[in-house]
Amino acid sequence: MINQPDLEDICFLFDVLWPGMDRSSAHRDRMIGIQNEISNCFQESASDSNQLLKALDNLEGVGLVIASGLIFSANRDAMVPFDQYTTGWCLEKNILPDHYISLGENYADYCARVSAYVQEAPHLNTILEFVREAAIESRFPISPE
């Protein structure tokens, strides 16, 4: 079961993890404003992260980056916020074969691949540390599709 983000999780996503994102505060406020729609997506697809990603992506103004971030914000131990740096870093490190997180079962699989990488990396303890490393180290950022 995938946990649903609350107000604190949404604020963490935009104010702590992605404060440098273009229009971060506007995105945060928009996600807070559509919390009911977000909640509906989680209630309908909480057992399938691939379907949940697609449902969130279908909300106006969300997109794959924010959708994966919303899922991550309340499930930080298993899910991944695929922004351009994280996706690029995954490709640079050969963790993922491509940047198509929304195809078929890819989102769940790609999250599992990143999680396995983090568990094996002696310098990383959490997915959050991996994401922060990606923001610093990625030389070829690529947006997820």
Side-chain angles (χ1 to χ4, degrees):
M1 201 65 138
I2 303 166
N3 297 319
Q4 178 176 308
D6 59 19
L7 179 63
E8 185 177 306
D9 296 321
I10 293 171
C11 289
F12 166 82
L13 180 63
F14 294 102
D15 297 342
V16 177
L17 185 62
W18 289 336
M21 174 187 268
D22 188 37
R23 300 184 332 264
S24 180
S25 60
H27 287 301
R28 179 200 60 224
D29 294 347
R30 170 123 175 80
M31 295 307 108
I32 291 170
I34 63 167
Q35 264 190 295
N36 288 338
E37 290 94 330
I38 292 169
S39 293
N40 289 340
C41 291
F42 275 86
Q43 290 169 7
E44 293 171 7
S45 303
S47 62
D48 185 339
S49 60
N50 296 302
Q51 288 299 92
L52 177 57
L53 181 74
K54 290 173 186 171
L56 291 168
D57 182 38
N58 284 330
L59 295 176
E60 186 177 334
V62 176
L64 290 174
V65 171
I66 292 175
S68 68
L70 288 169
I71 296 169
F72 167 77
S73 71
N75 300 277
R76 297 178 202 170
D77 59 335
M79 306 313 287
V80 178
F82 285 104
D83 60 16
Q84 64 181 337
Y85 301 106
T86 302
T87 305
W89 192 232
C90 286
L91 294 172
E92 289 175 54
K93 302 296 275 179
N94 293 316
I95 299 167
L96 305 179
D98 57 49
H99 65 289
Y100 298 107
I101 67 168
S102 65
L103 289 179
E105 305 295 312
N106 281 3
Y107 180 64
D109 178 48
Y110 288 11
C111 286
R113 288 175 184 232
V114 172
S115 182
Y117 177 85
V118 168
Q119 290 174 6
E120 296 296 320
H123 69 290
L124 296 171
N125 294 311
T126 64
I127 292 171
L128 178 59
E129 287 179 2
F130 177 82
V131 172
R132 288 186 170 152
E133 177 182 77
I136 295 168
E137 300 293 335
S138 180
R139 292 174 294 167
F140 304 105
I142 184 167
S143 295
E145 291 184 28

